[in-house]
Amino acid sequence: MTEQVDENHLIEERRKKLLALKEKTNAYPNNFRRDSLADDLLKSFGEEKKEDLEKKGISVSVAGRVMLRRIMGKASFCTIQDMSGRIQFYLRGDELDNYEDFKDWDIGDIVGASGKLFKTNTGELSVHLEKISLLTKSLRPLPEKHAGLSDIETRYRKRYLDLLTNEESLNVFKLRSSIISNIRNYLISDNFIEVETPMMHSIPGGATARPFVTHHNSLDMDLYLRVAPELYLKRLVIGGMEKVFEINRNFRNEGLSTRHNPEFTMLEFYTAYVDVNYQMKFVENMLRDVEKKIGTETKIFEKDFIKLSMDEAIINYTDLSKGDLLDLEKLISFSNNSKIKVEKNSVIGILKAEIFDTLVEKKLLNPTFIYDYPIEISPLSRSSDEDELIAERFELFVNGRELGNAFSELNDPSEQSNRFRTQSEKKESGDQEAMHFDADYIEALEYGLAPCAGVGIGIDRLVMLLTGTESIRDVLLFPQLKNK
């Protein structure tokens, strides 16, 4: 309570300063233009000798937020922070006509300043100011400089303060941007076309997930925020875009956790005339390339990628044998003993998938491709030529988490129609995650979809891996939270 009273007092004092400033001048000027960033100056001149730097007389204009101040009477130091980092200012009262005004400014104020580069006696690169201006008055005090912004929920709700006071958090989001840029460049360099597909769908498709529902007033129709862009991207392959990708948001009306946010970023890409085996190698090479280029110390994708069928993974990490995986009664008994929910009329493929998800996935620490998924849980995947109950599909797991999903795409319109019909029956039986029947997509397939394979990779989870963060909220600038 005392802290709140103190903060309210500080806010009131700052408001008074702003009112006084407004009486004298424009309190929010936009006439300062900087020509230098802090980090660029440190990289270019940080190693210069003190005497050499003074001889050069390098003039710079810098702007940023005041983060530290040392008022020493006739001279002062302050440190400002811009988008690249921090740099120190040196101010003398006999050289600045607004020095007394400066002494009354506050931590958090945004300033613009010009002067010459020099080094202090301790060797710190600084700017000896010839002019300084207050550009924006900060009315609220920043979090206490030594404690920083340590409350987790406040960091998520007030990300702007988190970025200002926690350098590690800022670096995570800079790295996120670099990861996405390098993925985009890798794909474009391989002749992929980047596209944008609709966010609002008349029929939710492309994944088994519960959608968000909205309503379009003019058309008087319900629409769904997309759960996946898959069916639109495959329409583009039909249209001749044989290599196509999208990096964008998906929305799924599901729970919140350290791994799940209702809106999240996905990369999806499709390649004509290849299968999942080609895509396995492509994904491996792409992830190695991205990790190398961003310079992370994690070295996750330098490790050998393991390849296991789902059956092999279950056998390796449970007590089940190859024969057990063919016996429905044994799978039901094992599932019950392992406290895995067994649905009425369960079949072998679905039980194996449940056993894998519950007991095996969390044990896959090194990059691992799991392939040969049951066709029952892969309604958009092509069946294997050797076994129609097996989907030509893989998922990539790292550190016990699913990172990617891929199919050799089903391009038989008759079979796809049957699969949609099965999904529709599940939906009518109460499965809110089952797919709708998409007649327009079936019509598109009837024009002919070239043999192809598609991949989806969760960008948020990839960023978590490459930044060593444990919660998806730490890699989303504005994660979904309950209202206060």
Side-chain angles (χ1 to χ4, degrees), residues 275 277 372 375 381-393 408-411:
D275 63 7
N277 295 310
D372 283 358
I375 199 66
S381 176
R382 182 181 188 277
S383 296
S384 166
D385 290 337
E386 286 74 35
D387 185 346
E388 64 179 10
L389 296 179
I390 295 297
E392 287 192 8
R393 173 184 179 184
S408 290
E409 303 300 334
L410 177 59
N411 59 349

Side-chain angles (χ1 to χ4, degrees), residues 272-402:
Y273 308 109
V274 305
D275 63 7
V276 286
N277 295 310
Y278 173 93
Q279 297 290 35
M280 272 193 207
K281 193 62 183 176
F282 186 91
V283 168
E284 182 176 342
N285 290 339
M286 179 175 70
L287 293 176
R288 288 187 195 277
D289 182 81
V290 170
E291 184 178 52
K292 182 179 179 180
K293 284 181 176 172
I294 64 172
T296 181
E297 296 179 359
T298 53
K299 311 301 181 190
I300 292 168
F301 299 116
E302 285 188 357
K303 302 172 183 176
D304 290 335
F305 281 58
I306 299 165
K307 296 180 177 66
L308 295 171
S309 71
M310 179 176 281
D311 284 5
E312 289 170 339
I314 292 172
I315 292 167
N316 286 356
Y317 291 101
T318 72
D319 295 330
L320 290 166
S321 67
K322 186 174 182 179
D324 294 336
L325 297 182
L326 301 173
D327 190 320
L328 179 60
E329 293 304 317
K330 285 189 177 180
L331 290 178
I332 291 174
S333 175
F334 179 86
S335 297
N336 287 329
N337 291 335
S338 302
K339 298 182 178 179
I340 297 171
K341 186 177 180 180
V342 178
E343 298 288 348
K344 187 178 180 180
N345 301 323
S346 284
V347 296
I348 285 176
I350 290 176
L351 285 173
K352 287 197 296 187
E354 290 290 340
I355 291 167
F356 174 84
D357 289 346
T358 305
L359 301 178
V360 178
E361 176 180 331
K362 60 190 174 184
K363 298 176 182 177
L364 304 176
L365 303 181
N366 286 341
T368 304
F369 288 114
I370 299 295
Y371 60 91
D372 283 358
Y373 273 68
I375 199 66
E376 294 91 343
I377 61 167
S378 311
L380 297 170
S381 176
R382 182 181 188 277
S383 296
S384 166
D385 290 337
E386 286 74 35
D387 185 346
E388 64 179 10
L389 296 179
I390 295 297
E392 287 192 8
R393 173 184 179 184
F394 73 75
E395 289 188 332
L396 173 61
F397 296 87
V398 190
N399 284 359
R401 300 170 180 168
E402 179 202 340

Side-chain angles (χ1 to χ4, degrees), residues 96-153:
L96 298 169
D97 56 13
N98 61 344
Y99 181 71
E100 291 302 316
D101 293 334
F102 162 78
K103 289 163 66 175
D104 201 36
W105 298 346
D106 296 292
I107 299 294
D109 288 349
I110 298 173
V111 302
S114 302
K116 288 186 169 57
L117 289 178
F118 81 108
K119 282 197 170 179
T120 64
N121 291 332
T122 60
E124 182 173 356
L125 184 69
S126 306
V127 184
H128 188 150
L129 295 193
E130 298 167 349
K131 184 178 181 180
I132 186 168
S133 302
L134 178 62
L135 304 179
T136 304
K137 181 69 191 166
S138 173
L139 297 179
R140 292 180 178 270
L142 297 180
E144 206 277 326
K145 64 181 180 181
H146 297 297
L149 192 63
S150 55
D151 181 74
I152 295 296
E153 185 171 344

Side-chain angles (χ1 to χ4, degrees), residues 45-94:
F45 305 104
E47 301 301 318
E48 289 266 4
K49 292 182 180 179
K50 186 174 187 296
E51 298 79 9
D52 294 341
L53 197 57
E54 288 179 3
K55 287 178 183 177
K56 291 180 179 180
I58 299 168
S59 295
V60 296
S61 294
V62 190
R65 190 180 296 272
V66 176
M67 303 301 290
L68 298 168
R69 292 199 316 158
R70 283 187 293 149
I71 307 296
M72 301 182 298
K74 295 181 179 180
S76 299
F77 287 93
C78 83
T79 299
I80 64 107
Q81 178 173 296
D82 63 22
M83 63 182 289
S84 70
R86 296 186 177 191
I87 194 164
Q88 180 175 261
F89 291 165
Y90 173 63
L91 308 85
R92 289 184 58 88
D94 58 355

Side-chain angles (χ1 to χ4, degrees), residues 199-201 204 211-214 223-228 251-252:
M199 289 290 189
M200 293 192 295
H201 296 179
F212 286 95
V213 185
T214 187
L223 293 170
Y224 302 87
L225 297 185
R226 79 173 184 195
V227 294
F251 304 84
R252 297 183 184 177

Side-chain angles (χ1 to χ4, degrees), residues 418-436:
N418 291 336
R419 303 262 192 99
F420 277 157
R421 197 166 287 112
T422 300
Q423 287 287 307
S424 296
E425 290 169 0
K426 288 183 178 181
K427 182 166 286 294
E428 289 173 5
S429 299
D431 186 346
Q432 293 179 315
E433 294 188 354
M435 293 182 185
H436 292 246

